[in-house]
Amino acid sequence: MAYVSVFPVSRKRSAIGLGNRRASEWSCTSRRAAVVMGMEVDELAVQLFDVGAIKFGEFTLKSGIVSPIYVDLRVTVSYPKLLETIADALTDVSANAKYDLLCGVPYTALPFATAMSIKNNTPMLMRRKEAKKYGTKKIIEGSYEEGAKCLVVEDLVTSGLSVLETVDPLVDAGLAVSDVVVLLDRQQGARGNLKENALELHSVMTIAQLLDSLKSQSRITEKQASDVREFIASTQVKMPEQKDAKEPSRKTYGKRTDDVANPVGKRLLQIMGEKESNLCVAADVSTKSALLALAEEVGPEICILKTHADIISDWDASTGAELGEIADKHNFLIFEDRKFADIGNTVVGQCAGGVHRIAEWAHIVNAHSVAGPGIIQGLLKAAEQAGRELGILLLAEMSSEGNLAMACPDYMPKTVDMAKSNSSAVLGFISQNKVAGDEFLYLTPGVQLAPGGDALGQQYNTPHKVCVHNQTSSVPLIVCVLSDRGFLSFS
């Protein structure tokens, strides 16, 4: 990822910022006794538990894993005294670190860094999650000198990735970063991962200390503590290996065609490259005229139009053909979001026959894997009867709240295995994340301009979240599916 360089300010800032004393020469140990020893840790742990920042039970994480503990430190902003205690603890535990500035990892750690800054009169910087596209276009906000030492402040660490995402732009801006201070170390690999990147982690408490404190204060049982310990031990996180900086980080869409076996997938990549778009628009309309009008309007900007033929109230024998003509005119593919889920023979009839005769006009269809690989063979037979090529997407993950695809741990891996065994037919997955390799494409559902949900359990992400934050591939293959009949242009 490229970052916008931030030019250091004049050294004259010392008169209004650091004064005549370098913060790197400053130590806090003479101001107060450490609050992170003995009973002080117990008291802080209890306060966090009592305000609801630490919860125990069964919580489904973004990855689909069920965790016996959930940590949400954002609630601490509503408790000024607790926030002050946290700031004191973070300051004391990092007493041996030498620094001129503070920078909190956005967003939960920003109040922590702010409280430390105000209480200790230490200048603070802010990192934007993305650079502004106007004005100074900065990603690091604040006043500083090149070469100044910056202490990174975080609320909790698991792998340490979020810390590195803050450290990198700070270093690019000419700052020196060697230390990180955190309220809670989940002990899932962050300390070792940060050490490999020449960063020393200072933690107020570890997950083990938290559990011991809460158990000693009768807030949790030994069974709860034991469940968390087992969970932490079984979910260690290792950072992905960094590739050679000289190696190109991304291929063009056109160059990716050799990696994909399915012919429709190859064509989709060509279209994406030619139009410089990875946009799929969901045509959630209920009449033929609205469907065709939307296809005409957004066709020049998109690579895929996603349809629901069975909600078109006046679908007739010519609708598919007319939609296909618009797709050819504007060079996009039609994806019928039918979500086939039956046995192979039934699927043949559902795809090739009936009122909609999907195989005659759709380039892409999707299917649940619950019926087994026979469903893939049934869809291929329907395409053969129509004399057309077909790309199949398997549902690996869904965006609706409480869906069983995310709750069953074996569902996604077995779906991926099914796709790998039928790669000439399966072009990719419906998923929230990259679940396999670069030989597949990934369509991410539930994307609109603002995050949130609806009354029926749909959970929405933003285009930035799925295209940037969740992007793990060396090739940007996630295709956004926008709802609310809106669309964006991506360059």
Side-chain angles (χ1 to χ4, degrees):
M1 180 180 294
Y3 296 96
V4 176
S5 296
V6 180
F7 293 99
V9 301
S10 167
R11 291 186 178 275
K12 293 180 180 179
R13 78 175 280 283
S14 62
I16 59 172
L18 298 178
N20 295 323
R21 180 182 60 177
R22 296 276 294 183
S24 60
E25 299 170 354
W26 167 83
S27 173
C28 66
T29 53
S30 62
R31 292 203 311 269
R32 67 177 89 78
V35 298
V36 295
M37 301 297 292
M39 292 301 294
E40 287 79 0
V41 170
D42 292 343
E43 183 178 349
L44 179 55
V46 168
Q47 289 183 47
L48 292 171
F49 178 86
D50 288 348
V51 302
I54 312 292
K55 299 178 185 294
F56 293 83
E58 290 189 358
F59 306 93
T60 301
L61 304 180
K62 179 181 177 181
S63 62
I65 297 175
V66 177
S67 170
I69 186 171
Y70 188 74
V71 182
D72 183 4
L73 295 169
R74 289 169 292 190
V75 71
T76 58
V77 299
S78 298
Y79 300 90
K81 289 295 184 183
L82 175 57
L83 194 59
E84 182 180 18
T85 300
I86 292 171
D88 288 344
L90 290 166
T91 300
D92 289 338
V93 81
S94 57
N96 293 328
K98 306 301 181 183
Y99 56 91
D100 309 304
L101 305 156
L102 302 168
C103 183
V105 176
Y107 290 105
T108 306
L110 291 180
F112 296 175
T114 302
M116 293 172 67
S117 173
I118 294 173
K119 187 154 191 180
N120 302 316
N121 195 30
T122 305
M124 173 181 159
L125 302 175
M126 289 181 59
R127 175 183 78 85
R128 290 180 174 273
K129 284 207 168 183
E130 60 180 354
K132 295 187 297 183
K133 299 184 183 299
Y134 53 90
T136 60
K137 300 183 179 181
K138 289 182 178 180
I139 197 167
I140 302 296
E141 298 286 359
S143 182
Y144 62 93
E145 298 176 6
E146 186 173 8
K149 295 181 179 179
C150 185
L151 175 68
V152 172
V153 182
E154 179 64 299
D155 60 325
L156 77 159
V157 288
T158 303
S159 68
L161 178 60
S162 62
V163 170
L164 295 179
E165 289 175 345
T166 293
V167 170
D168 287 346
L170 289 170
V171 172
D172 288 346
L175 293 158
V177 184
S178 58
D179 294 271
V180 179
V181 62
V182 65
L183 177 60
L184 178 62
D185 177 6
R186 290 180 62 103
Q187 295 180 289
Q188 289 178 271
R191 186 175 297 275
N193 292 334
L194 294 177
K195 185 176 181 180
E196 291 179 2
N197 286 272
L199 295 169
E200 182 176 356
L201 180 65
H202 310 268
S203 60
V204 172
M205 67 179 77
T206 62
I207 198 75
Q209 291 171 323
L210 174 71
L211 296 173
D212 290 343
S213 295
L214 294 178
K215 189 163 68 71
S216 69
Q217 299 298 311
S218 301
R219 290 305 196 272
I220 61 172
T221 65
E222 172 56 35
K223 176 65 165 57
Q224 289 175 306
S226 177
D227 288 345
V228 175
R229 292 190 194 100
E230 291 179 6
F231 174 76
I232 295 297
S234 65
T235 54
Q236 294 296 298
V237 182
K238 183 67 176 176
M239 297 280 284
E241 294 184 5
Q242 297 294 318
K243 294 186 177 181
D244 190 336
K246 296 181 179 179
E247 180 182 341
S249 59
R250 293 175 183 258
K251 294 180 182 178
T252 63
Y253 292 126
K255 291 183 179 179
R256 278 287 291 108
T257 56
D258 291 339
D259 298 333
V260 177
N262 179 263
V264 177
K266 291 179 181 291
R267 183 181 170 193
L268 175 57
L269 283 167
Q270 291 171 348
I271 293 173
M272 292 166 72
E274 292 168 4
K275 302 180 78 169
E276 295 185 344
S277 171
N278 63 346
L279 184 63
C280 168
V281 168
D284 295 334
V285 295
S286 58
T287 65
K288 174 182 175 180
S289 61
L291 174 64
L292 298 181
L294 179 63
E296 280 284 5
E297 182 179 0
V298 304
E301 310 294 335
I302 64 175
C303 59
I304 299 175
L305 183 72
K306 184 173 78 74
T307 61
H308 283 288
D310 50 5
I311 67 173
I312 303 298
S313 59
D314 55 348
W315 185 282
D316 57 35
S318 66
T319 304
E322 291 179 49
L323 186 61
E325 290 177 2
I326 297 174
D328 291 340
K329 174 183 174 182
H330 294 302
N331 194 27
F332 65 82
L333 301 184
I334 304 169
F335 163 31
E336 168 54 26
D337 191 7
R338 174 62 172 75
K339 297 184 179 69
F340 293 98
D342 219 316
I343 61 173
N345 284 331
T346 301
V347 165
V348 175
Q350 290 174 329
C351 188
V355 174
H356 300 109
R357 307 187 73 83
I358 295 169
E360 294 183 359
W361 50 269
H363 306 97
I364 301 169
V365 296
N366 57 356
H368 291 283
S369 58
V370 290
I375 197 169
I376 297 175
Q377 302 308 314
L379 291 172
L380 289 178
K381 187 173 182 180
E384 183 181 356
Q385 290 181 6
R388 302 176 76 243
E389 293 177 335
L390 186 68
I392 301 170
L393 293 165
L394 294 182
L395 282 91
E397 296 175 322
M398 297 183 70
S399 57
S400 54
E401 185 177 9
N403 72 83
L404 297 183
M406 300 290 281
C408 302
D410 289 340
Y411 177 85
M412 188 266 286
K414 290 185 180 298
T415 300
V416 172
D417 290 341
M418 189 184 300
K420 289 181 176 180
S421 299
N422 297 272
S423 59
S424 62
V426 178
L427 70 84
F429 302 95
I430 303 295
S431 64
Q432 298 295 309
N433 303 279
K434 182 186 176 189
V435 299
D438 287 349
E439 68 271 27
F440 295 108
L441 303 177
Y442 302 87
L443 275 77
T444 301
V447 180
Q448 63 177 15
L449 300 185
D454 62 23
L456 297 180
Q458 174 65 295
Q459 302 298 301
Y460 293 114
N461 281 316
T462 63
H464 180 269
K465 179 70 179 293
V466 298
C467 287
V468 179
H469 187 270
N470 287 2
Q471 179 62 275
T472 56
S473 172
S474 60
V475 184
L477 291 180
I478 293 179
V479 179
C480 298
V481 181
L482 283 158
S483 61
D484 286 350
R485 304 174 186 83
F487 68 97
L488 297 174
S489 295
F490 285 86
S491 62

